[in-house]
Amino acid sequence: MSRKYKIRDQDKQYFVTFTIVEWIDLFTRKVYRDIFMESLKFCQKNKGLDLCAYCIMSSHIHLIIGRNGEEKLEDVIRDIKKFTSIKFLEEIRNSPVESRKPFLLEHFGKAGRINSNNVTFQIWQQHNHPIELNTTGKTQRCLNYIHQNPVVAGIVCSPEEYLYSSAKNYAGLPEKLIEVILID
């Protein structure tokens, strides 16, 4: 991994992206989005995760995160990815309605077999591309990028319309899915 993309200062906020292997559109199904959201909530409550912004797209997730506990941020990221991978696989295997089951298991299995860090399956790409948000300008650009993602993709006309995004939090709307720490 490039030394350019590492979490160096545990007390800073970071823009990170979690991407599904082969950019597979896993998050077109609500059940997978909800598994990820529950993992974020757990980490907020139990692992000191500061969630400042998020957007779940069909194949990737953007976050602005920090920490307020003793656990290293990269360890929290590892735990989120590990837990959600296990839960996604359980859901894929056990779901009577997942029409893409053979496709998903084949591709996640293939990705796992070619990666020496895995035993059988890999769902997430390994890199997170953490970018330290050390200036107000950089922070605002990343926040805008996250919230504009579904608009640019043509999914919604305004960021606040997208359910799986913190844009509702920043707009002060009541129907948000998870609490975030608003960035000034």
Side-chain angles (χ1 to χ4, degrees), residues 10-163:
Q10 294 292 324
D11 296 322
K12 298 283 187 185
Q13 293 173 338
Y14 286 83
F15 170 80
V16 294
T17 301
F18 298 175
T19 306
I20 300 296
V21 296
E22 299 180 30
W23 289 81
I24 293 171
D25 289 329
L26 184 67
F27 299 112
T28 57
R29 304 270 198 269
K30 181 182 184 306
V31 64
Y32 305 118
R33 294 188 304 260
D34 290 346
I35 288 169
F36 189 83
M37 293 298 289
E38 289 305 313
S39 180
L40 288 179
K41 289 175 186 176
F42 178 86
C43 289
Q44 285 177 310
K45 184 177 179 182
N46 299 293
K47 293 186 174 280
L49 176 68
D50 283 341
L51 177 64
C52 300
Y54 72 94
C55 183
I56 301 177
M57 298 298 286
S58 64
S59 62
H60 62 284
I61 298 170
H62 296 298
L63 304 166
I64 293 178
I65 56 174
R67 69 170 191 147
N68 62 45
E70 294 300 313
E71 205 157 338
K72 288 183 174 182
L73 194 52
E74 54 268 34
D75 292 344
V76 175
I77 290 170
R78 177 203 61 218
D79 291 349
I80 290 170
K81 290 174 105 177
K82 181 177 180 181
F83 173 81
T84 56
S85 291
I86 292 167
K87 290 297 183 186
F88 293 156
L89 278 172
E90 285 176 6
E91 181 62 33
I92 292 165
R93 286 180 174 139
N94 298 327
S95 174
V97 296
E98 178 54 81
S99 60
R100 306 171 301 165
K101 186 182 300 192
F103 170 85
L104 294 172
L105 292 175
E106 176 186 340
H107 286 267
F108 295 152
K110 181 178 79 173
R113 287 187 299 276
I114 63 173
N115 184 337
S116 61
N117 292 329
N118 293 313
V119 179
T120 54
F121 290 92
Q122 180 177 343
I123 292 181
W124 297 108
Q125 291 182 15
Q126 286 192 259
H127 59 82
N128 306 307
H129 203 122
I131 297 172
E132 184 179 307
L133 302 179
N134 50 14
T135 68
T136 302
K138 192 184 288 187
T139 302
Q140 288 304 315
R141 281 190 302 277
C142 288
L143 185 61
N144 185 57
Y145 178 81
I146 288 171
H147 291 157
Q148 288 296 320
N149 226 225
V151 176
V152 172
I155 300 169
V156 293
C157 292
S158 69
E160 300 82 16
E161 295 173 353
Y162 194 65
L163 182 59

Side-chain angles (χ1 to χ4, degrees), residues 147-183:
H147 291 157
Q148 288 296 320
N149 226 225
V151 176
V152 172
I155 300 169
V156 293
C157 292
S158 69
E160 300 82 16
E161 295 173 353
Y162 194 65
L163 182 59
Y164 286 88
S165 164
S166 56
K168 287 182 181 297
N169 301 69
Y170 281 85
L173 299 175
E175 59 272 359
K176 51 194 173 263
L177 296 179
I178 189 171
E179 292 300 322
V180 300
I181 296 170
L182 300 177
I183 299 170

